Amino acid sequence: AIASSSVAIINEFHSRCIANLAWAVSKVAFHDVPLLAALAASARTRLEEFSPQEMWNTVWAMAAICWKDPPLLESIAARAKSMISEFAPWGLSNTAWSFAKL
């Protein structure tokens, strides 16, 4: 019920909500394909709003449950590269680990 409700309104979520939902889904290993697809689509359209932490949290969540969405990963990589000076050292290492795991 929560997953389908989230899918229905995910386009209203702010970047932090998207990143937090991705993290929460990964922490409970919840593999709801429609929810993951909606998360990825929403993240791609809002990626310019993501802070470095929201990006590394999202890609970490993807790696934690082996969730691969190549278009989202490519978008995160390009965005992270363009703002690498804003990443904290642990954010860079989390991002690198996540991409390596995927």
Side-chain angles (χ1 to χ4, degrees):
I2 292 173
S4 59
S5 296
S6 295
V7 169
I9 62 169
I10 202 159
N11 290 329
E12 299 173 25
F13 288 14
H14 296 282
S15 57
R16 181 167 301 220
C17 295
I18 295 166
N20 287 347
L21 181 57
W23 177 85
V25 163
S26 73
K27 289 302 283 182
V28 295
F30 186 65
H31 291 267
D32 184 85
V33 174
L35 178 58
L36 294 176
L39 271 168
S42 187
R44 281 193 311 272
T45 62
R46 293 188 171 274
L47 202 55
E48 291 297 317
E49 301 169 15
F50 275 52
S51 69
Q53 182 175 355
E54 292 161 353
M55 280 189 287
W56 78 62
N57 284 349
T58 301
V59 76
W60 178 90
M62 295 174 75
I65 60 172
C66 297
W67 159 37
K68 296 180 183 177
D69 184 282
L72 178 56
L73 291 170
E74 291 170 14
S75 297
I76 290 173
R79 176 89 170 120
K81 184 178 176 183
S82 75
M83 58 189 303
I84 198 163
S85 64
E86 297 177 41
F87 275 69
W90 62 87
L92 283 173
S93 65
N94 284 345
T95 303
W97 174 87
S98 300
F99 274 97
K101 187 167 190 289
L102 290 168

